[in-house]
Each structure stands twice: as C-alpha cells, then as structure tokens.
Amino acid sequence: MRRQFVSNVAFYSTTAVLILIIVLCVGATVKSESRDETQRMENRIQEQQLMSDMKQYLNENGYRNSGVTLTYALEEDGSPDYTFTIHHKKINSMSETERGALSAELARACNAGGNYSVSYEYLLTDF
C-alpha cells in the first residue's frame, strides 16, 4: 500500500512539473510573438511617415509625380535599414555630384536618423 502511494505521488508530481514546463514555454512564445508584432507595427508607422515626408519634399521642390519606393532590411540588432528608390526625369539628367547633394538634402528634409538608417538610390533611364 505504501509503495503504491509513493508511486502515485511520484506520478502526480512528475505530471505537475511537466504541465508547468509546458505552460511556461507557451507563455514565453506568446510574449515573444507579441513583442515582435509590436515592433512590426512601429516599423510600419515609421515607414508610412518616411514615405509621406519624402513625397511631400519631392512635390514641394520640383519633383512632382516622382516614382518612389521604400524597401527595408533588418540589421542584426533589429533596427531597420531603409532604402528609397526614386525616379524622376530631372534626377535622370543630374550628374553624380548633384545626385549626391540631393541625397544629403533628402536626409535632412526627411528626418533621417533615430534607430534606423536611410539610403537613397535613383532609378536612371537611357531615354
């Protein structure tokens, strides 16, 4: 009888420990996914603001109807690295030096900084 009691206690104790481990693992996974989702939402808001600032600047400075795309890659530390690709006939006819100056203006005008980096590429055509 005593042996059965010890066996039952061991069984229930082991079961309780295993259930506790499962609950903690599931809780940690949910918490991690929640944190990741929050970061994605913050990045999306940041992207929308960057795109809005860029389009506004280009429209106000003689580059109306520019083609603008924004892509990003995440760095190892989790911070985004944004790249704007811009197309406009005025930019197409600029020299490399002028495009470099435009990139510097865009960085100042569009509040490039914070916990992310921004770079600029120009889509050039032959015609």
Side-chain angles (χ1 to χ4, degrees), residues 17-90:
V17 168
L18 290 174
I19 290 173
L20 181 62
I21 289 171
I22 290 170
V23 167
L24 292 175
C25 288
V26 168
T29 301
V30 169
K31 184 177 179 181
S32 175
E33 288 176 1
S34 174
R35 183 173 27 95
D36 290 346
E37 183 62 29
T38 300
Q39 185 63 42
R40 278 192 289 272
M41 290 299 292
E42 289 173 1
N43 287 350
R44 183 153 293 131
I45 291 168
Q46 187 170 298
E47 290 165 24
Q48 290 172 346
Q49 184 63 48
L50 285 169
M51 185 64 95
S52 175
D53 291 348
M54 176 61 66
K55 287 182 177 182
Q56 180 180 352
Y57 177 85
L58 291 170
N59 285 335
E60 291 174 355
N61 289 282
Y63 302 97
R64 294 187 78 79
N65 300 321
S66 294
V68 181
T69 58
L70 177 62
T71 56
Y72 75 94
L74 291 177
E75 298 292 335
E76 289 180 15
D77 65 358
S79 64
D81 177 21
Y82 295 107
T83 302
F84 279 104
T85 303
I86 304 168
H87 173 70
H88 192 272
K89 63 184 175 183
K90 279 184 175 180

